């Protein structure tokens, strides 16, 4: 049984009705909420809090508490046996039930759903809307399948024959407030997933399992990389020594690469006067992403959500000539952007993050080559970190609503063409064009990467800006001694260092390559006897600027090796009597396994090679 | 004629009266403000804004407008001839006038100063104070010298014979509000300096001239190191590419040195929840230095004035054992502290700055050796930057007010002894003990440096903290499996990177050593003919990771060399036909002068040696 995307949507939607039907059979007095489809599946909300029947057998292994939805109400915390419900759903599916759409009046609807207060509330709201909108909503649509009836717009499958009974699964239960408001009752939400076939379901489950193992929040704790707590504030990560070292290594690689490529370093403050944000237009267009101001001697200052206005100050420090262009400014700039606590997620969604930011200010005849250079640099940076699959998105104007964009027709045409040409000349074949995806201030290229388990992450962005050069009256003196407005290109290649770290931890599952690893080498003497020799090796490797740890002989050898493996340290150097006598070490590499005995000269050569080649 | 410090104070104070007397002789209707002594001299405030006599001949070269005192009132902007006034003062001094103290009643005082509204205001205030304080201020003291009389507590010289007429000078005129409030009239302040003898006066003037040349605010503009403007906000420096590179080099040297010395890097956010600052005690003890909070979802967050509470979170990430100690955490942490706009000064007094911060958490038996290590590290760091003269200050408790300090008697004794012992064992001979100079949370060592022209700057600090370990309930498990409170030592060796940069720019007069210079080498081909060869050298030096600039042949050779010298670039490489043919360059070193022709191999060797040795 195969489905296209649209019919899979119908299958998922129909499964939510089947779920509700199955629950109703078991708990006839239950009150129904809503049951929509979501990414990969569906859910249905129920209010069990109505009779004694609410006390249901538990199946604790399948219960999960969602981070931001509070705990269940006490009554429904007793749990539901999802496997039993699944069985019941399969029974219903096998009855080849038809999904029949009917149109009924508001009066009929009230009667049909008389025992269902949440449905009645929805009907009441629809009636209100009908009055307000003055559109002719004469009737409401319902769907019937077997004994079950629901207020619903569809679409659904025609018959449960279309549903593969082996390609769905109920996944978890969580509490969720009716209509998402904590003023309303807490309902019990049952989630399910559904796919074309069992293979896809299994793949999905495997991916989920793999993703859970790689969850950077979990690895962040296990590998002692970072912590986030309430005392400091949510969305404000504190990097522990190992995480800070990893972050530093990533940052220094990016920074040094940019400096080699003729970027100039600048350093700017974290707050700026309201005057600046007014002039830049941020207070007009970006206010909802900015934090509330703090006052200093009667003037308001705001945490910077972007570095651009500061970089423009650097440009404007003196009168620029065409000889100064292209000017490429870079900063590892920490910005603060408002996020609701509900959407915060480890390092990938935070309230303060550091961009590997850069602004290229150039003349029109430099635009294409600068875009090409930025693209090439992006691919180089991402490839160095081991990402191989990229998706290039080109976001241009919606040609039907040209009035919504800043900058002249001529500039837009030039910029969009420059982007297209640059992509073409860079040999990039597959480009996903997003018409209308441009920001108001200019067209852009976004680069997504696929991680080790196939998930996509948007990291890099290269954006034109026609807005700020105008607002700040930026200019340069051209060859003919005339004032010209320069072009400005924003670019962040890792994007946010913090988000990048989150993605990178998941991509590598925390097994960082030697050049980045916070601890590169662990020395493990088999017993106390080799401790002197181990210490010599330790100090020697440190003098070679390596990040080394000596795991002393207080624990068993097995435990120390296991510890090194759990920490995912690239090189474990085991030292026994033989190695101490031979002046060697025995390499156990995290990825390559046991590599055996090697003398110190050979070891250093091997390690340095891995570092220079940035071997994965 | 020699004076001790106390009598020099009397001379300066007496000179302020002589100044007022001289002014009064020339402008009899003038109104007098006050005339105290200040560091190195004295001033007197006058209100010229009373009659037509206020229009005074100008002597513009001696007029200066103080940064934060606004402009003169229009009437007094016409300027006073300071040289003429000085002459008049010398005449008065040579009359061997006596300074006679008299005690008069409030009623008599009102009569004596009847034509002087500012003096009358002061008399009125003193009368009020008398009522409030209920102390028996029966009379007021005045000083008479010749025809001049002033309301004054003294002390003064007995006779103007004691004043060396060649050892003083009037230096500048500035506007100053009466009592420093902008609600009051703007008065004209005349400043003077006075010393023991002419030699000291001349030395002082020479130093002032030298200091002006080295002013980092002036050099900051000339060398394009940083800018501060109103659009972004006062006290918030933006580092231009050269300044940012210099700062980066300084920072990386400090950071890498700390990492080599077994410090662990951490990275923490710039804002923290009010909860954190309440727990740490900052909101109780440090609030006036903190900025107003910003709100996120009903919770207040504050820009961090210190990094300590964040570093404590790192320590508390898990249960620590004695094996984890000493734990040395470091961060280049940017903190924000409230400063009034009036006291802001270039980079040395700003609103946001980056500390080369570190916290050492250790057991009591590690305290002394950790202090010694920190001291040794401080001296190493400062010496590397070319500072040779240090002043070590040991600040201990005031034993008479033990109640004002946090931490037990036992801890204070131990800590003060540890500091003393560490200083002694480090071979530091001259220690300035500051009894009562300790902060409430612990004793400390401050290190001041003398710069190239003999001025003292406080940079480094090593401080005990008995407060935070208690507030955050920090502990570790000792050898006997018992909970112990660790000791915590704050240390910042450069102090504030930004302030350090300000001091360092003045110390070096902007001529940075090769290892730090933003531009290390400038290549200057004599004419267009050598451009290809010059470019080859340029790319070769860049590939050797040097910061190089190619000064192309559009300008005259002389102009380009001068430009290189104004920019204080360590190595200028001149390339003529001879050098191009011989595959050499001709070195002109900023400090060492012309060093002549050298082949490229020799050049690289020379340069690398300077860098490795961190040659000044």
């Amino acid at each position: 049984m195969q489905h296209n995307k649209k019919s899979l949507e119908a299958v998922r939607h129909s499964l939510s009705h089947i779920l509700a039907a199955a629950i109703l059979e078991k708990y006839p007095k239950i009150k129904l909420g809503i049951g929509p489809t979501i990414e990969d599946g569906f859910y249905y909300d129920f209010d069990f809090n109505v009779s004694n029947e609410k006390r249901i057998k538990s199946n604790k292994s399948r219960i999960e508490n969602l981070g931001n939805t509070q705990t269940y109400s006490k009554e429904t915390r007793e749990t539901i046996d999802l496997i039993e419900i699944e069985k019941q759903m399969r029974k219903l599916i096998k009855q080849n039930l038809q999904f029949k759409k009917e149109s009924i009046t508001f009066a009929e609807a009230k009667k049909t759903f008389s025992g269902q207060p949440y449905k009645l509330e929805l009907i009441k709201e629809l009636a209100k809307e009908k009055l307000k909108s003055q559109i002719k909503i004469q009737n409401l649509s319902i769907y019937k399948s077997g004994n079950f009836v629901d207020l619903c717009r569809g679409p659904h499958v025609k018959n449960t024959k279309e549903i593969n009974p082996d390609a769905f699964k109920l996944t978890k239960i969580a509490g969720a407030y009716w209509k998402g408001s904590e003023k309303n009752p807490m309902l019990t939400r049952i989630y399910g997933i559904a796919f074309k076939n069992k293979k896809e379901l299994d793949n999905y489950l495997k991916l989920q399992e793999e993703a859970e193992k790689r969850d950077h929040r979990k690895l962040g704790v296990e590998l002692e990389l970072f912590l986030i707590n309430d005392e400091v504030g949510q969305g404000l990560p504190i990097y522990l020594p190992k995480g800070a070292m990893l972050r530093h290594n990533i940052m220094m690689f990016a920074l040094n690469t940019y400096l080699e490529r003729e970027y100039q370093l600048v350093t700017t403050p974290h707050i700026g006067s309201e005057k600046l944000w007014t002039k830049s237009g941020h207070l007009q267009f970006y206010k909802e992403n900015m934090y509330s101001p703090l006052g200093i001697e009667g003037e308001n200052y705001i945490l910077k959500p972007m570095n651009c206005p500061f970089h423009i100050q650097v440009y404007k420090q003196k009168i620029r000539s065409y000889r100064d262009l292209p000017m490429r400014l870079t900063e590892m700039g920490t910005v603060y952007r408002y996020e609701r606590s509900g959407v915060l997620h480890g390092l990938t969604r935070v309230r303060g993050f550091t961009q590997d930011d850069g602004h290229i200010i150039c003349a029109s005849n430099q635009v294409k080559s600068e875009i090409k250079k930025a693209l090439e640099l992006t691919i180089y940076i991402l490839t160095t970190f081991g990402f191989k699959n990229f998706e290039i998105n080109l976001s241009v104007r919606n040609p039907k609503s040209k009035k919504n964009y800043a900058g002249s027709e001529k500039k837009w045409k030039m910029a969009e063409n420059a982007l297209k040409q640059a992509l073409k000349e860079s040999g990039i074949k597959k480009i996903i064009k997003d018409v209308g995806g441009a920001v108001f201030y200019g067209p852009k290229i976004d680069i997504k990467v696929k991680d080790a388990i196939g998930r996509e992450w948007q990291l890099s962005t290269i954006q034109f800006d026609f807005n700020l050069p105008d607002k700040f009256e930026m200019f340069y003196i051209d060859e003919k001694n005339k004032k010209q407005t320069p072009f400005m290109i924003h670019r962040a290649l890792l994007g946010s260092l913090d988000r990048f770290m989150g993605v990178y931890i998941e991509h590598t599952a925390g097994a960082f390559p030697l050049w980045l690893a916070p601890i590169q080498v662990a020395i493990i003497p088999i017993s106390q006897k080799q401790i002197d020799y181990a210490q010599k090796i330790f100090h020697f490797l440190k003098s070679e600027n390596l990040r080394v740890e000596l795991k002393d002989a207080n624990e068993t050898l097995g435990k120390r090796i296991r510890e090194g493996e759990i920490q995912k340290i690239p090189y474990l150097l085991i030292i026994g009597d033989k190695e101490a006598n031979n002046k060697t070490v025995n390499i156990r590499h995290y990825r390559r396994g046991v590599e055996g005995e090697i003398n110190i000269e050979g070891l250093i050569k091997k390690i340095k090679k891995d570092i220079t080649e940035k071997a994965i």
Side-chain angles (χ1 to χ4, degrees), chain A:
Chain A
M1 216 176 296
Q2 292 286 316
H3 303 270
N4 60 27
K5 209 173 180 181
K6 210 172 153 188
S7 70
L8 190 57
E9 188 75 9
V11 165
R12 286 170 179 162
H13 201 168
S14 303
L15 277 164
S16 89
H17 284 216
I18 304 287
L19 164 62
I23 289 282
L24 263 181
E25 281 184 8
K26 202 166 161 62
Y27 313 104
K29 292 183 184 170
I30 214 160
K31 305 305 172 201
L32 300 167
I34 57 165
T37 62
I38 49 173
E39 210 188 338
D40 306 317
F42 57 93
Y43 69 76
Y44 212 107
D45 287 344
F46 305 99
D47 190 346
F48 283 88
N49 200 8
V50 282
S51 78
N52 279 335
E53 281 161 338
K54 73 210 162 200
R55 302 203 168 267
I56 308 145
K57 276 192 184 163
S58 86
N59 178 7
K60 280 190 178 151
S61 68
R62 303 216 26 222
I63 298 303
E64 210 182 293
N65 201 347
L66 280 187
N68 56 334
T69 45
Q70 314 294 323
T71 54
Y72 306 137
S73 70
K74 205 178 164 192
E75 285 73 14
T76 52
R77 210 172 287 155
E78 316 292 323
T79 60
I80 301 151
D81 185 338
L82 293 182
I83 291 168
E84 198 192 324
I85 303 293
E86 270 178 19
K87 271 187 199 160
Q88 189 56 28
M89 286 171 74
R90 287 198 183 91
K91 264 190 205 162
L92 290 170
I93 290 167
K94 282 173 187 166
Q95 287 173 18
N96 294 347
L97 301 172
Q98 272 201 303
F99 272 83
K100 280 178 285 187
K101 188 177 183 173
E102 284 179 23
S103 179
I104 59 175
T105 63
F106 277 84
E108 287 167 338
K110 276 183 199 166
K111 217 167 142 188
T112 308
F113 296 100
S114 62
Q116 293 292 346
Y118 299 106
K119 297 290 178 194
L120 290 174
E121 193 180 325
L122 292 176
I123 292 164
K124 216 168 156 186
E125 272 166 24
L126 286 166
K128 259 191 205 165
E129 237 175 75
K130 180 191 164 191
L131 280 174
K132 260 195 218 159
S133 67
Q134 303 192 329
I135 304 164
K136 289 180 187 169
I137 314 180
Q138 288 302 346
N139 287 328
L140 291 169
S141 86
I142 57 167
Y143 272 89
K144 284 184 177 169
S145 49
N147 298 327
F148 183 73
V149 57
D150 206 349
L151 187 70
C152 181
R153 285 196 192 134
H156 283 283
V157 295
K158 285 195 177 152
N159 191 293
T160 54
K161 274 194 266 185
E162 293 169 45
I163 300 173
N164 182 337
D166 299 325
F168 84 92
K169 189 177 167 65
L170 299 181
T171 49
K172 63 181 175 188
I173 304 180
Y177 291 110
W178 169 241
K179 288 180 180 168
S181 163
E182 51 188 271
K183 289 174 192 156
N184 292 331
M186 169 77 79
L187 305 183
T188 300
R189 177 171 295 176
I190 301 179
Y191 285 94
I193 49 172
F195 293 89
K196 286 182 195 174
N197 49 48
K198 182 149 192 331
K199 199 181 154 198
E200 281 191 14
L201 174 69
D202 290 344
N203 281 347
Y204 177 86
L205 290 171
K206 219 175 127 191
L207 186 72
Q208 283 302 105
E209 200 187 330
E210 187 54 37
E212 260 168 47
K213 271 191 223 153
R214 290 167 179 260
D215 189 328
H216 74 279
R217 295 169 303 175
K218 188 173 145 279
L219 287 172
V221 173
E222 284 171 18
L223 301 176
E224 302 185 70
L225 299 175
F226 65 93
L227 66 85
I228 298 175
N229 70 25
D230 243 0
E231 192 159 79
V232 167
Q234 289 303 318
L236 299 170
I238 290 183
Y239 290 93
L240 300 169
K242 283 175 194 157
M245 184 48 72
L246 175 66
R247 190 173 184 274
H248 180 70
N249 295 339
I250 293 171
M251 187 163 80
M252 291 312 289
F253 166 66
L255 179 58
N256 288 331
T257 305
Y258 302 156
L259 294 180
E260 274 165 27
R261 310 273 178 124
E262 309 286 330
Y263 281 78
Q264 300 182 74
L265 183 66
V266 296
T267 299
T268 70
H270 301 95
I271 56 172
S273 149
E274 205 171 56
K275 285 188 294 221
L276 185 73
W277 304 114
T278 303
K279 190 165 182 180
S280 68
H282 281 87
L283 276 176
Q284 195 184 343
F285 294 112
Y286 206 69
K287 197 171 180 178
E288 61 189 21
N289 300 297
M290 293 162 78
Y291 290 107
S292 65
L294 51 99
I296 309 179
E297 293 182 357
E299 198 170 330
N300 277 340
Y301 287 76
I302 307 178
L303 272 174
K304 65 175 169 184
M306 294 190 190
N307 303 300
C308 342
F310 295 93
H311 291 196
I312 290 171
Q313 304 293 321
V314 173
Y315 179 84
K316 290 188 69 177
Q317 171 238 343
K318 59 181 183 180
I319 291 178
R320 302 294 180 180
S321 103
Y322 66 96
R323 289 167 171 272
D324 295 321
L325 305 184
M327 179 181 278
R328 307 182 193 94
L329 302 177
T330 188
E331 173 173 25
M332 298 293 138
T334 307
V335 297
Y336 287 82
R337 293 187 189 165
Y338 178 76
E339 297 280 3
R340 283 181 303 110
S341 55
V343 301
L344 296 173
H345 185 88
L347 297 179
T348 53
R349 197 102 177 238
V350 292
R351 285 178 166 153
F353 56 89
T354 301
Q355 293 181 303
D356 64 324
D357 208 0
H359 291 94
I360 301 161
I361 301 158
C362 64
S364 68
N365 63 355
Q366 296 165 332
V367 160
K368 197 181 73 184
S369 71
E370 286 304 312
I371 297 281
K372 268 172 74 178
K373 276 183 193 165
L375 254 172
E376 188 270 323
L377 185 53
T378 310
I379 303 294
Y380 167 68
I381 294 271
L382 296 177
T383 310
T384 306
F385 284 104
F387 292 106
K388 283 168 202 152
N389 294 300
F390 310 106
E391 185 189 293
I392 315 278
N393 293 269
L394 172 62
S395 297
V396 298
R397 261 186 319 181
N398 180 348
K400 285 173 193 159
S401 55
K402 287 185 181 174
K403 280 176 193 167
N404 297 340
Y405 300 93
S408 68
E409 181 64 23
K410 196 179 148 197
K411 278 186 183 170
W412 273 89
K413 274 199 173 155
M414 191 283 270
E416 291 186 356
N417 276 330
L419 289 177
K420 264 181 248 171
Q421 272 301 111
L423 285 168
K424 201 177 154 192
E425 291 177 22
S426 301
I428 290 162
K429 280 154 206 158
K430 204 187 146 198
I431 298 158
I432 295 167
K433 199 168 168 180
D434 181 0
V435 176
V439 234
F440 80 92
Y441 51 74
K444 61 171 182 166
I445 295 173
D446 291 328
I447 292 130
K448 288 182 189 169
V449 299
K450 257 197 184 142
D451 73 9
I453 57 172
R455 293 170 304 172
E456 274 193 345
W457 303 90
Q458 203 230 293
L459 297 176
S460 322
T461 184
I462 301 170
Q463 310 190 338
F464 265 90
D465 191 329
F466 304 135
N467 180 47
L468 291 180
D470 276 346
K471 295 238 164 162
F472 283 94
E473 296 172 320
M474 291 164 74
F475 69 88
Y476 67 94
I477 305 298
D478 73 5
E479 292 87 334
K480 289 166 188 160
N481 217 21
K482 273 189 178 167
K483 269 193 184 184
Q484 298 286 354
T485 304
F487 283 83
M488 183 161 160
I489 301 162
H490 306 263
R491 37 114 296 171
L493 308 193
L494 301 175
S496 141
L497 260 175
D498 307 84
R499 181 175 150 79
F500 180 82
M501 269 187 71
V503 171
Y504 193 60
I505 292 166
E506 302 209 356
H507 175 64
T508 57
F512 308 115
L514 191 67
W515 67 288
L516 292 173
I519 306 288
Q520 297 172 307
V521 181
I523 300 168
I524 305 179
I526 288 177
S527 73
Q528 203 63 39
K529 277 200 291 171
Q530 301 89 24
I531 204 82
D532 284 350
Y533 177 65
Q535 258 161 1
K536 263 184 208 157
I537 302 292
F538 172 78
H539 290 296
F540 176 69
L541 295 181
K542 276 204 72 96
S543 75
E544 291 281 329
N545 277 322
L546 293 171
R547 298 181 289 274
V548 202
E549 201 175 86
L550 176 60
K551 291 195 182 289
D552 62 24
N554 286 347
E555 301 279 1
T556 68
L557 179 65
K559 196 173 170 192
R560 284 177 290 147
I561 290 177
R562 227 166 20 252
E563 209 179 270
E565 279 168 353
I566 288 168
Q567 286 178 58
K568 311 193 183 196
I569 297 171
Y571 276 84
L572 301 186
L573 305 182
I574 320 292
I575 295 175
D577 275 343
K578 188 175 146 209
E579 287 80 12
N581 287 333
N582 295 349
K583 305 290 173 211
T584 58
V585 297
N586 209 303
I587 299 177
R588 198 182 171 111
H589 190 274
Y590 183 76
R591 289 182 186 279
R592 301 190 296 249
V594 173
E595 297 191 316
E597 206 178 343
I598 191 167
N599 65 23
I600 306 308
E601 202 182 311
L603 173 73
I604 287 288
K605 222 169 138 183
K606 202 175 175 73
I607 286 177
K608 292 271 159 102
K609 187 166 173 279
D610 278 358
I611 291 175
T612 310
E613 291 174 357
K614 298 194 167 60
I616 302 299

